Amino acid sequence: MTSDRIRIPAASSSFPQYGDILPDLMLSYVDLPASLKSCFVYCCIYSKDYEIEMDLLAMQWVAHGLIEEKKGMDVEVTANQCIDDLINRCMTEETEEGDVKLHDTLHDLASYIGRKEYSHASPTEHTSHLSLLDVDDAETSMHNVSLVANKLHTLFCAFLPSEQFTNIKWLRVLSLEECEMDELPNSIECVSLLKYLNLSYSDVKRLPSSIDRLWNLQTLDLSYSKIEEVPEEIGKLCNLRYLGLEGTEELKIVAEGLGKLTNLQTLKRFLLCNDKEDRRGCNIKVLKDLNNLTGKLSIEGLGAARKEVNLGEAQLLKEKHLLTGLKFDFEEQHDDKVADASEQSCILEALEPPHCLKNLKIRHYKGEMPSWYLKTDYTKLRILKLENCPLSEKLISITSLEKLELNKCPAVCEIASMPSLKSLKIGSCDGLNTIGHDMPALESLEVDGCGRLEQVADDHMPALKMLNLTNLKAVKQLPTHLPSLEVLTVQDLPNWEGWPAIGSRETTISMPRLREAGLENCPKMQTQGLLYALSEQEHDYEPRLQELRVWDCPSARLGWKLLKQLPNLTDLRLDREALESTLPSPLPSEVSTFLPSLEHLTLTDANVDKLKWGRVPEWVWGLSQLDSLGLQGFTEEISLGGHWQCLQELVRLELYDFPNLKSLVDINNTTSLQNDAVATTSPTDAKEQLACLLNLEDLVVSCCPAVDLPQELRDSLED
């Protein structure tokens, strides 16, 4: 496809803007093994910044014969190794979603090397790989296809008339992603060499009967399309290795011809028929001969009543040793006859997973947990998720488990210790009263709505980095020694006592790595112990806290003595009660000296008269470095004019619930500046104030009925 003998220009005339960068990258390309060169260049068929799904890219390479087959190894495995190799060589990059893409400069390099064979929109006589996804004019697109139809091996487009299928007989890869066609034409049979067909996110509802003529087809992706039926003819696609059915919400029928696809490796989603076996899916026995399935498989429709599954057929999944993930979904449809608990137990007992399984999820299961669930043979299991399983009572210790999620499992009363567990997420498990104490590897713990739980963590979780607790009525104490904790979120803990003062039963606090703390609606939470820990104890470290949020915690008393110990604070969100202090508020000229890093400030005034600020405290205007400011509930404030020139860096301003606020700009050009020690009058210019506000990128004013804004500001409002 591409030659190893490539002239390296001093500066490519095609890409002069990159100067000497392109030649340097060309050397990286020349250094690639021969098997990777064509794979790298092929990526330029996608537009810049396009995030390419790894599995589909691998299957396209396979379709074009770019991947060298190795004895004893599936070609898909080799293709994925090629992707990893390109990533490790920095020739492609992996995105956060697990896809890959080319950096703009690398895309230019690939396009430069493959400029004869690869084209976007404007093909030449040498073009064999064409993408028309960036062409809006359908007529122009079809004209471009006609020019090179008998030479094309790859075609990406959003529309293709039926007559064109007869002209592209040499095609290997066809992507009609997001196309608006309701149905593929019967002329698809003319593309008999086709190995890859992508109809994902399309409007296609039906596949023609002539689909059975695509004997060479290896990949058929229908993910997130409007497909309603997978026909019986699918069983004649003997070379099919990838069938994408994820997100096909309109799918009603999957013919049992699926069971003939013995080369199928990727299925991901398997739909079962209901008790009448006349709609929505297949009989579960169809899985019997699909022994080459790899990766993850979701089996849906298990909750509908059906004929009893023969336990003698329990090898349906157990011998599928290439499967790494299974999801058993018992959620029933609205018109299903629901299987009772004993029927569901029988079904799940028969679906014993292979022992090589790494990921297991069970949803909406009403039966007893199967016998295989208690076995210790699953030594590779890394992830376990149980959702809405009311009869699941106890979780045994799974030494290999790294991630555990439980949601709406009310019978679970205990979670055993798991030495390898890194992430634990629990929600709405009302019977839970104990979490295992020996979890030395645990890094993330989230617990929500477990009414009986009294203790959620202890000092034997040395690796814990994130602790998120919500709606726990029985919890009174939290651990005080968490050396690795970075993020703490506590919300709706009515009986948690927080960090009492020295002399009570909790006297020491050690969270040296704490970076973010959010505390909300904890009426008994005390903070004196935290204040002592940060201000009076001798530390070998400087507090790392960068974000602090305290709302609706009337017993909290943070005060300026604490805030002065937090020089790295960048985000502060408080209500008046949290900031109550016996110390006077600082002068505006002082506040930025002990909060030098603060960029985001949100203040809410109190409803209690003796605690109310009434007006925005003057120290706020001394924070000249603020990037965003949010103010709420200052009922006595009439005008905020005269201050905005103090906040030259401000880009976002939010004002909520100022019932008496009349203006943001001081029309009289004078403003009274008041604080506890000083009262002065300073002339200001209304135009200067207005100019500062107009420089904002975001301005939100809500529930301020009396405010009269200049028209220029009204045009800037979000709400």
Side-chain angles (χ1 to χ4, degrees), residues 308-321:
E308 184 177 350
V309 176
N310 186 350
L311 291 180
E313 298 169 350
Q315 305 300 316
L316 285 174
L317 297 175
K318 187 176 180 181
E319 300 304 320
K320 292 176 173 45
H321 300 298

Side-chain angles (χ1 to χ4, degrees), residues 36-305:
L36 287 182
K37 285 186 169 72
S38 296
C39 292
F40 168 72
V41 174
Y42 182 84
C43 295
C44 76
I45 191 67
Y46 290 93
S47 57
K48 287 185 177 180
D49 293 324
Y50 190 95
E51 297 186 0
I52 314 168
E53 189 174 335
M54 287 191 189
D55 287 347
L56 297 183
L57 178 60
M59 294 306 297
Q60 290 175 51
W61 288 347
V62 171
H64 285 300
L66 303 183
I67 304 300
E68 180 182 354
E69 295 190 21
K70 298 180 180 179
K71 186 176 181 180
M73 182 179 294
D74 286 332
V75 67
E76 291 85 357
V77 175
T78 306
N80 280 289
Q81 289 178 349
C82 290
I83 292 176
D84 291 339
D85 200 353
L86 287 174
I87 292 173
N88 293 333
R89 292 171 178 267
C90 298
M91 298 300 285
T92 61
E93 58 182 296
E94 185 174 2
T95 68
E96 293 181 358
E97 291 74 23
D99 299 326
V100 292
K101 71 173 184 177
L102 293 184
H103 185 276
D104 285 356
T105 309
L106 287 166
H107 191 281
D108 287 339
L109 173 62
S111 299
Y112 175 77
I113 297 170
R115 60 193 181 280
K116 288 186 178 181
E117 299 178 40
Y118 292 84
S119 176
H120 289 258
S122 302
T124 68
E125 59 179 340
H126 301 291
T127 300
S128 56
H129 306 278
L130 177 63
S131 173
L132 299 174
L133 297 180
D134 297 327
V135 180
D136 296 328
D137 187 348
E139 184 175 344
T140 301
S141 297
M142 292 309 100
H143 175 70
N144 291 342
V145 171
S146 300
L147 292 176
V148 292
N150 61 346
K151 298 179 181 179
L152 284 182
H153 288 179
T154 304
L155 177 60
F156 287 12
C157 60
F159 173 76
L160 194 63
S162 58
E163 61 270 17
Q164 284 289 359
F165 284 90
T166 61
N167 300 324
I168 51 176
K169 59 182 179 180
W170 300 109
L171 211 61
R172 303 296 195 278
V173 171
L174 174 60
S175 176
L176 295 171
E177 184 176 350
E178 297 185 2
C179 76
E180 298 180 357
M181 303 164 58
D182 290 340
E183 186 174 0
L184 283 182
N186 277 311
S187 55
I188 187 71
E189 66 181 356
C190 298
V191 198
S192 59
L193 297 179
L194 195 66
K195 294 186 176 183
Y196 177 99
L197 178 57
N198 185 352
L199 298 172
S200 63
Y201 297 94
S202 71
D203 291 342
V204 172
K205 297 180 180 179
R206 291 170 296 278
L207 298 175
S209 58
S210 61
I211 193 77
D212 63 359
R213 302 292 183 88
L214 301 182
W215 302 294
N216 293 297
L217 198 64
Q218 297 173 340
T219 300
L220 176 57
D221 189 7
L222 300 167
S223 302
Y224 301 97
S225 69
K226 295 182 179 179
I227 193 73
E228 296 177 353
E229 177 181 356
V230 176
E232 186 69 30
E233 288 82 1
I234 197 79
K236 295 184 179 181
L237 303 181
C238 56
N239 289 303
L240 198 66
R241 302 167 75 89
Y242 183 108
L243 178 59
L245 294 176
E246 290 181 287
T248 48
E249 300 298 332
E250 305 297 323
L251 188 60
K252 296 180 175 65
I253 299 175
V254 180
E256 295 196 1
L258 181 66
K260 300 177 183 178
L261 302 178
T262 55
N263 286 316
L264 196 64
Q265 294 191 355
T266 302
L267 182 57
K268 293 188 179 179
R269 185 176 184 228
F270 182 84
L271 280 75
L272 288 175
C273 59
N274 62 4
D275 193 42
K276 298 178 181 179
E277 300 188 6
D278 61 359
R279 59 179 291 276
R280 200 170 61 247
C282 303
N283 189 297
I284 198 168
K285 297 177 183 179
V286 168
L287 287 171
K288 181 179 179 181
D289 295 325
L290 303 184
N291 291 322
N292 289 313
L293 290 177
T294 64
K296 298 178 181 179
L297 173 63
S298 173
I299 303 178
E300 302 175 17
L302 289 165

Side-chain angles (χ1 to χ4, degrees), residues 615-679:
R615 302 183 65 183
V616 178
E618 291 298 329
W619 55 263
V620 170
W621 313 115
L623 293 166
S624 58
Q625 77 276 16
L626 282 182
D627 180 81
S628 68
L629 174 63
L631 302 170
Q632 180 175 352
F634 292 89
T635 58
E636 298 176 15
E637 197 67 73
I638 297 176
S639 173
L640 294 177
H643 299 297
W644 305 116
Q645 70 279 3
C646 302
L647 305 179
Q648 296 288 334
E649 304 297 323
L650 200 66
V651 296
R652 181 173 178 83
L653 174 63
E654 299 182 11
L655 302 175
Y656 295 96
D657 192 19
F658 280 65
N660 297 306
L661 183 66
K662 295 182 178 180
S663 66
L664 298 186
V665 177
D666 186 3
I667 304 301
N668 296 322
N669 292 339
T670 59
T671 300
S672 177
L673 302 178
Q674 298 180 357
N675 55 54
D676 294 337
V678 180

Side-chain angles (χ1 to χ4, degrees), residues 16-33:
Q17 68 272 30
Y18 292 102
D20 293 332
I21 297 178
L22 194 60
D24 292 340
L25 290 176
M26 191 77 82
L27 292 175
S28 298
Y29 168 79
V30 171
D31 190 49
L32 290 175

Side-chain angles (χ1 to χ4, degrees), residues 333-538:
Q333 302 297 317
H334 68 279
D335 56 348
D336 281 336
K337 179 183 177 182
V338 181
D340 61 28
S342 62
E343 289 175 319
Q344 291 193 9
S345 296
C346 181
I347 293 170
L348 192 57
E349 189 70 48
L351 295 177
E352 181 175 354
H355 292 161
C356 58
L357 202 68
K358 296 180 180 179
N359 187 332
L360 175 62
K361 182 174 183 178
I362 304 175
R363 294 184 71 241
H364 297 274
Y365 174 62
K366 299 178 181 178
E368 299 284 347
M369 297 307 287
S371 60
W372 53 259
Y373 175 76
L374 299 176
K375 293 181 179 179
T376 58
D377 299 329
Y378 295 96
T379 58
K380 295 184 178 181
L381 191 64
R382 300 289 184 268
I383 300 174
L384 175 61
K385 299 180 182 180
L386 301 179
E387 179 182 344
N388 208 341
C389 299
L391 297 185
S392 177
E393 295 183 359
K394 182 179 179 180
L395 292 176
I396 63 172
S397 179
I398 304 174
T399 57
S400 61
L401 203 64
E402 296 180 356
K403 183 175 182 178
L404 173 61
E405 292 186 11
L406 302 175
N407 187 33
K408 297 181 180 179
C409 299
V412 172
C413 58
E414 179 181 355
I415 298 176
S417 299
M418 299 185 191
S420 301
L421 196 66
K422 294 181 179 180
S423 175
L424 176 57
K425 186 175 182 179
I426 309 169
S428 301
C429 295
D430 293 332
L432 184 65
N433 52 48
T434 304
I435 295 178
H437 296 292
D438 184 16
M439 295 189 181
L442 193 66
E443 297 179 357
S444 174
L445 176 58
E446 299 180 62
V447 187
D448 180 12
C450 300
R452 295 184 183 180
L453 192 63
E454 296 183 1
Q455 185 174 357
V456 294
D458 60 25
D459 292 338
H460 299 288
M461 295 180 178
L464 194 65
K465 295 181 180 180
M466 194 275 285
L467 180 59
N468 188 331
L469 308 175
T470 306
N471 192 21
L472 303 176
K473 297 179 180 179
V475 170
K476 295 183 178 181
Q477 299 180 49
L478 295 182
T480 57
H481 183 67
L482 295 172
S484 300
L485 193 67
E486 297 179 0
V487 179
L488 172 65
T489 304
V490 181
Q491 182 176 347
D492 298 323
L493 269 64
N495 292 302
W496 175 48
E497 298 177 359
W499 299 281
I502 299 303
S504 64
R505 59 181 175 273
E506 292 188 30
T507 58
T508 60
I509 299 173
S510 178
M511 300 178 189
R513 297 182 180 274
L514 191 62
R515 175 173 46 83
E516 178 181 341
L519 311 167
E520 183 174 348
N521 196 20
C522 300
K524 295 183 180 180
M525 183 190 75
Q526 301 180 48
T527 54
Q528 290 90 334
L530 179 63
L531 174 63
Y532 175 82
L534 292 175
S535 61
E536 297 185 12
Q537 286 185 339
E538 294 184 2

